[in-house]
Amino acid sequence: MRIIFFLVLLSIYSINNLSSPVFSQCLEDQKSLLLGLKSNLIFNSSASNKLVKWNRSTDCCSWNGVECDAAGHVISLQLDDETISGGVEDSEYLFGLTYLERLNLAYNNFGDIRIPKGIHNLTQLTHLNLAHAGFSGQVPFEILGLRKLTSLDLSSFSWGHEPIKLENPDLKMLVQNLTGLKELYLDSIDISSQGSEWCQVISSSLPDLRILSLSGCYLSGPIDSSLAKLRSLSVLRLDGNNLSSSVPTFFANFSKLTTLSLSFCYLNGSFPVKIFQIPSLQNLDLSYNNLLGGTLPQFPLNGSLRNILLRSTNFSGSLPASIGNLAMLSTLDLYNSSFNGPLPLTVGNIIELGHLDISLNNLSGSIPLFHLSKKLTYLNAARNSLTGSLSSMHFQGLTNLSSIDLSYNLLGGNIPSNLFTLPSLQSLDLSNNKFGGLIQEFFSQLDRLTELLLSSIFFNSTVQLEMFPPSLLILDLSFNNLAIVSADSNSSLPQLPQIYDLRLASCKLKKFPQLSRESKLLNLDLSSNQLKGQIPNWIWYGSLSQVNLSFNTLDDFQKPYEFPPYLMVLDLHSNQLQGELPIHPPLAFIYVDFSFNYFNNSIPNEIGNIIRRAIFFSVSNNKLIGEIPTSICNASYLQVLDLSGNALSGSIPSCLPNKNLDLGVLSLARNNLSGDIPDTFPNKCSLRTLDLENNVLTGKIPGSLVNCSFLEVLNIGNNRIEDTFPCMLTKMELRVLILRSNGFHGELLCSSAPTQEWPNLQIIDISHNNFGGDLSVLNFSYWKGMISVDNNNNDQIRFYFFDFNELHYQDKRTTPTH
């Protein structure tokens, strides 16, 4: 009986494991096909982990990437990420493996070849993965014959090569022929030809679909209700499509859903809270849908959610304390949303938490203790309203923590010393808080530290740069009460060999750091220090792209000197530099500020060609003479041009308003410019500020100025303009209008706009002119701007540019003096 029982068990085991390689031995014809395939394939043997190990002397069923059935036929070939670049086109070897059920050629680089038509020979295929393998062009009709397919992945990021196309056959033909599909991945394939019918096309042919991944497929919305038929869905990815709709509530009925990814989809409305409560849901990504609102629910104990990504959405309300119930939560990303209220301390109880980003919200309260979150690697709580202090318990035992950003909060007290002993710490940003005390000396122990940002705190000590580890790539100690010195008082500051971003603004520096020609420095900020005399020529070594030496007492350049070829930002304002403007090629300048110095020559004739790519150029408040070169019109990217406060003469180049279409600020005030204001302001003029005060300009306000519909500041005071009241401007968005000390005349009443609307007007000065008539026509009740000034910012009008860097040009709105 025992023998019979054993034989029965063996029979059952054999039936249930027909594809098991345990008892199989490779057939000779299968080995020959595989070796022939290897010899034909072009691949990098030094980077191969599978093909390079195939050897005739061993059983091919044991080779890496190969699986056989019990009879010795090859049924699975997994050659993903093998650096293959050719050798499959019409391959008799590959397409001779007719028993193949699974074929994986993903993550190779076939260099824009078409998917081979010989694929039709592999009629037993159930799984075909050609993702990101470098195939391109139209999907061949031959794929439609693979009727046994249950999983198909044709995803293709088309960077640098022609994308895969699904036009003929199209998506409809594909799914109507491959009705057994349970997994469909078509990421980054353009299927826009289906219009908004893609939901109906898929749901009508693939009712048993479990995985649907259509990221970046140029789909249009809204999401049709027919998609509700896919009740077996476990994964739905639609990222990067212009769905322009709300999230349908029927998603909550997908009881098997584990992953819902809808980032960058232009979603709007309120997110259905019931979706959070799908018992199987593990991954939810709604990032970068700025118009999508919603709130977080009360989470049940031991919820299944592992990743919640709501960055750059309009989710609001408070974070529930029940978020601590999500024991499996690994990633919580709420960056740049609208959450408010206290940060629940229960966040620190999530044992699996590895990535936490709650930055750029309006959260309050104190930092939770994270000593239970042993897997935490990334913590970003920057730009909130968090208060309290940090204790040694906050980060105790967090051996995996590599990045901490608590900047722009209201945290105080001393920085705990054990923070600097975390073994994996690479990036630390505590800037713009209220920490005090002495700067720690533990930095030198952090030999992995690459980023250290401690600007705008309240340190009060002397610091030696030798205390910082040579591994640093970014160091920012700006705007503390620090004195940066070297251990050797007779030498220049020591070099940090790897550093590419060094910011030591307002650190009482008296010496420049010595740079070598091999320097990797890209960004150098030594502004607001005690540097004087010459700018040493070694400062320009290396690959500098941004240099800020403003607010020192520098008076010259050590010669010879040459700006680095990729220098884009050069800020030397508020020094004592004199002589000729240091303007010469290269042409990489984007931001140039030489204002508040003593440069006393003329502006070079070729200035417009030298700063051709610049968006900001200021030489205001110097002693420059001569005319404005007409070449300035060649700098067609300029958004801010400030030549005010000099002794420039001649006329305003007529091409200046017309050629510089992006110009937002034009300030030529306090010079000796003469002639008429050019009547060449173009359609779609971008000007927000036009400041021409204190010159000797004549003529009238140019009629084309009405094209500048965004104009906020118009200042032509103290000139010789002879004109009537500028009624043509009454429909504009002016906030400041200064006409004082000119030859304006006539009545203030405008027949086209009898109430002089100007709803944003805050300052008007028409004094010292020859106006007549009834002053009551200036109806102040319409000028709402005068009673709704922001009390926190009531002396400034700002024009922002360089959005990523928060750079701006500022207009003073103080009452004019005479």
Side-chain angles (χ1 to χ4, degrees):
M1 289 293 293
R2 291 188 178 183
I3 294 174
I4 295 173
F5 181 70
F6 175 79
L7 291 175
V8 171
L9 285 179
L10 183 60
S11 299
I12 294 173
Y13 181 84
S14 299
I15 291 171
N16 291 334
N17 293 274
L18 288 177
S19 62
S20 171
V22 175
F23 303 108
S24 64
Q25 185 171 358
C26 184
L27 297 176
E28 191 59 34
D29 69 311
Q30 301 288 283
K31 178 182 288 189
S32 297
L33 288 170
L34 290 174
L35 291 174
L37 176 62
K38 175 184 176 181
S39 65
N40 267 28
L41 291 178
I42 303 170
F43 64 96
N44 183 351
S45 59
S46 63
S48 169
N49 292 313
K50 299 174 183 177
L51 286 167
V52 73
K53 298 177 182 179
W54 289 7
N55 191 314
R56 176 172 290 278
S57 63
T58 57
D59 180 4
C60 73
C61 293
S62 67
W63 293 349
N64 288 352
V66 178
E67 183 181 342
C68 301
D69 62 15
H73 301 114
V74 176
I75 60 170
S76 178
L77 192 57
Q78 305 293 318
L79 296 181
D80 52 307
D81 199 17
E82 278 290 286
T83 69
I84 305 171
S85 57
V88 296
E89 306 92 326
D90 300 320
S91 171
E92 59 179 303
Y93 303 107
L94 176 60
F95 303 122
L97 296 168
T98 55
Y99 290 89
L100 271 182
E101 298 175 6
R102 297 171 179 261
L103 176 61
N104 185 352
L105 298 176
Y107 298 100
N108 285 292
N109 184 18
F110 287 104
D112 285 341
I113 67 169
R114 303 299 190 256
I115 297 173
K117 294 183 178 181
I119 197 88
H120 75 276
N121 286 346
L122 306 181
T123 56
Q124 302 302 309
L125 280 181
T126 59
H127 293 71
L128 177 60
N129 189 349
L130 304 180
H132 318 303
F135 292 110
S136 65
Q138 175 61 44
V139 173
F141 273 95
E142 284 72 11
I143 279 187
L144 303 185
L146 305 179
R147 300 299 180 91
K148 292 187 177 182
L149 278 180
T150 61
S151 177
L152 176 63
D153 193 344
L154 300 178
S155 301
S156 172
F157 293 134
S158 58
W159 300 324
H161 61 81
E162 181 186 354
I164 289 180
K165 299 178 182 178
L166 192 55
E167 297 174 352
N168 188 27
D170 59 9
L171 176 65
K172 186 174 184 179
M173 296 176 66
L174 184 77
V175 299
Q176 285 179 344
N177 281 273
L178 305 180
T179 55
L181 283 174
K182 292 181 172 58
E183 300 176 1
L184 180 60
Y185 307 83
L186 298 176
D187 300 318
S188 297
I189 294 179
D190 186 349
I191 56 176
S192 58
S193 60
Q194 298 294 158
S196 59
E197 298 178 355
W198 58 275
C199 292
Q200 298 96 314
V201 166
I202 292 173
S203 58
S204 61
S205 296
L206 305 177
D208 297 325
L209 201 62
R210 297 172 186 169
I211 296 177
L212 179 60
S213 190
L214 300 177
S215 299
C217 290
Y218 302 93
L219 301 175
S220 57
I223 301 172
D224 189 78
S225 59
S226 62
L227 211 62
K229 297 176 184 178
L230 304 180
R231 301 298 290 268
S232 297
L233 270 184
S234 64
V235 175
L236 178 59
R237 297 191 188 98
L238 300 175
D239 312 89
N241 291 294
N242 189 1
L243 301 180
S244 299
S245 66
S246 58
V247 179
T249 56
F250 66 75
F251 279 3
N253 298 328
F254 292 158
S255 59
K256 299 179 182 179
L257 196 66
T258 62
T259 295
L260 178 61
S261 193
L262 301 171
S263 64
F264 289 104
C265 283
Y266 300 92
L267 298 172
N268 52 51
S270 182
F271 184 75
V273 71
K274 288 185 178 180
I275 295 177
F276 280 105
Q277 297 165 339
I278 299 174
S280 58
L281 190 62
Q282 297 178 11
N283 307 297
L284 178 63
D285 187 354
L286 305 174
S287 301
Y288 301 105
N289 289 291
N290 296 323
L291 300 178
L292 179 64
T295 58
L296 294 181
Q298 294 297 321
F299 294 104
L301 195 63
N302 297 320
S304 59
L305 279 163
R306 297 173 184 266
N307 299 288
I308 302 176
L309 292 88
L310 305 179
R311 64 189 291 123
S312 294
T313 63
N314 197 32
F315 270 72
S316 59
S318 60
L319 302 186
S322 60
I323 201 165
N325 292 338
L326 300 177
M328 302 304 294
L329 191 65
S330 173
T331 299
L332 180 62
D333 191 339
L334 309 180
Y335 162 81
N336 190 24
S337 296
S338 300
F339 289 103
N340 53 51
L343 175 62
L345 299 180
T346 54
V347 172
N349 298 335
I350 305 175
I351 295 175
E352 295 294 321
L353 192 62
H355 181 107
L356 177 62
D357 191 340
I358 53 174
S359 59
L360 213 58
N361 283 279
N362 192 28
L363 296 170
S364 57
S366 57
I367 301 288
L369 300 180
F370 287 104
H371 60 284
L372 296 179
S373 304
K374 302 298 184 183
K375 296 182 180 181
L376 193 64
T377 62
Y378 181 89
L379 170 62
N380 190 344
R383 296 181 184 273
N384 281 286
S385 300
L386 300 173
T387 56
S389 59
L390 298 179
S391 73
S392 59
M393 291 289 292
H394 273 92
F395 308 105
Q396 186 176 21
L398 301 186
T399 57
N400 297 307
L401 190 57
S402 64
S403 180
I404 301 174
D405 188 349
L406 303 177
S407 60
Y408 291 92
N409 278 289
L410 303 170
L411 300 170
N414 293 327
I415 301 174
S417 59
N418 70 329
L419 185 60
F420 307 114
T421 60
L422 296 174
S424 298
L425 191 64
Q426 297 180 37
S427 176
L428 177 62
D429 189 350
L430 303 177
S431 303
N432 292 276
N433 277 287
K434 296 182 177 180
F435 294 118
L438 300 176
I439 194 168
Q440 303 291 340
E441 298 182 0
F442 298 99
F443 297 122
S444 58
Q445 301 177 19
L446 294 171
D447 56 359
R448 299 181 60 182
L449 194 66
T450 59
E451 299 180 18
L452 179 60
L453 298 96
L454 301 174
S455 66
S456 301
I457 306 179
F458 295 98
F459 293 129
N460 184 9
S461 61
T462 299
V463 177
Q464 295 179 1
L465 279 187
E466 287 89 349
M467 69 186 287
F468 298 105
S471 58
L472 276 178
L473 302 177
I474 300 176
L475 176 61
D476 186 357
L477 301 176
S478 301
F479 304 107
N480 288 293
N481 193 23
L482 293 175
I484 304 292
V485 298
S486 174
D488 182 357
S489 59
N490 296 319
S491 68
S492 298
L493 295 176
Q495 299 178 36
L496 294 168
Q498 304 297 323
I499 202 162
Y500 65 80
D501 191 340
L502 180 60
R503 289 172 254 170
L504 301 177
S506 189
C507 285
K508 302 178 184 177
L509 277 175
K510 297 181 179 180
K511 295 182 179 181
F512 281 89
Q514 178 83 44
L515 302 180
S516 70
R517 293 189 181 275
E518 292 74 35
S519 169
K520 298 179 181 179
L521 201 60
L522 299 177
N523 181 21
L524 178 64
D525 185 352
L526 303 179
S527 59
S528 302
N529 278 292
Q530 299 171 17
L531 301 171
K532 60 183 180 180
Q534 291 186 330
I535 301 174
N537 54 14
W538 70 69
I539 206 71
W540 311 113
Y541 289 167
S543 303
L544 281 168
S545 63
Q546 300 184 50
V547 175
N548 187 352
L549 303 178
S550 61
F551 292 105
N552 284 286
T553 54
L554 301 165
D555 58 21
D556 200 1
F557 292 81
Q558 182 184 8
K559 298 177 179 61
Y561 73 94
E562 182 177 352
F563 292 146
Y566 301 109
L567 187 62
M568 294 188 295
V569 175
L570 180 58
D571 190 348
L572 301 177
H573 83 274
S574 301
N575 277 285
Q576 298 177 7
L577 297 166
Q578 52 193 303
E580 296 184 358
L581 286 173
I583 293 287
H584 46 72
L587 303 177
F589 290 127
I590 293 178
Y591 179 101
V592 183
D593 192 349
F594 296 148
S595 60
F596 293 94
N597 279 286
Y598 297 96
F599 294 116
N600 54 14
N601 213 311
S602 58
I603 300 175
N605 287 331
E606 66 277 16
I607 182 65
N609 297 321
I610 294 173
I611 63 167
R612 183 183 294 271
R613 300 175 185 272
I615 65 172
F616 181 102
F617 181 67
S618 176
V619 290
S620 68
N621 296 285
N622 280 279
K623 298 182 178 181
L624 297 171
I625 59 175
E627 299 186 356
I628 301 174
T630 57
S631 73
I632 196 70
C633 302
N634 295 333
S636 56
Y637 295 100
L638 277 176
Q639 295 184 36
V640 175
L641 176 61
D642 191 349
L643 309 180
S644 62
N646 285 286
L648 300 172
S649 57
S651 60
I652 301 172
S654 60
C655 62
L656 183 55
N658 191 38
K659 290 291 185 69
N660 301 85
L661 299 180
D662 293 324
L663 199 60
V665 174
L666 177 59
S667 181
L668 306 177
R670 301 184 307 283
N671 280 289
N672 297 315
L673 299 172
S674 58
D676 294 352
I677 302 172
D679 193 8
T680 55
F681 294 93
N683 291 329
K684 299 183 179 179
C685 166
S686 300
L687 267 184
R688 294 179 181 268
T689 293
L690 178 61
D691 189 353
L692 304 176
E693 71 164 344
N694 284 318
N695 281 287
V696 286
L697 298 170
T698 56
K700 298 183 177 183
I701 297 177
S704 61
L705 195 61
V706 298
N707 294 329
C708 304
S709 56
F710 300 108
L711 193 66
E712 295 182 310
V713 177
L714 176 61
N715 185 353
I716 52 175
N718 292 286
N719 278 282
R720 299 177 184 178
I721 305 294
E722 296 192 10
D723 202 351
T724 57
F725 190 78
C727 294
M728 61 182 178
L729 303 181
T730 55
K731 297 292 184 181
M732 302 181 73
E733 302 296 322
L734 282 175
R735 298 171 66 183
V736 175
L737 175 63
I738 298 177
L739 307 178
R740 71 171 183 270
S741 300
N742 277 284
F744 285 94
H745 54 274
E747 295 190 1
L748 299 175
L749 180 65
C750 296
S751 57
S752 60
T755 56
Q756 272 85 308
E757 295 179 8
W758 284 325
N760 299 321
L761 197 65
Q762 295 172 345
I763 294 176
I764 183 171
D765 185 350
I766 58 175
S767 62
H768 299 276
N769 281 288
N770 298 312
F771 288 117
D774 189 352
L775 186 63
S776 64
V777 299
L778 298 179
N779 193 333
F780 295 100
S781 64
Y782 283 90
W783 296 350
K784 305 297 184 182
M786 291 190 175
I787 58 176
S788 61
V789 176
D790 180 358
N791 291 327
N792 295 323
N793 204 19
N794 62 2
D795 66 337
Q796 300 170 355
I797 295 178
R798 291 178 173 181
F799 170 67
Y800 282 88
F801 59 99
F802 259 15
D803 285 345
F804 64 90
N805 215 8
E806 297 187 356
L807 292 177
H808 63 271
Y809 178 90
Q810 183 171 298
D811 282 297
K812 293 292 183 181
R813 299 198 324 244
T814 51
T815 304
T817 55
H818 302 279

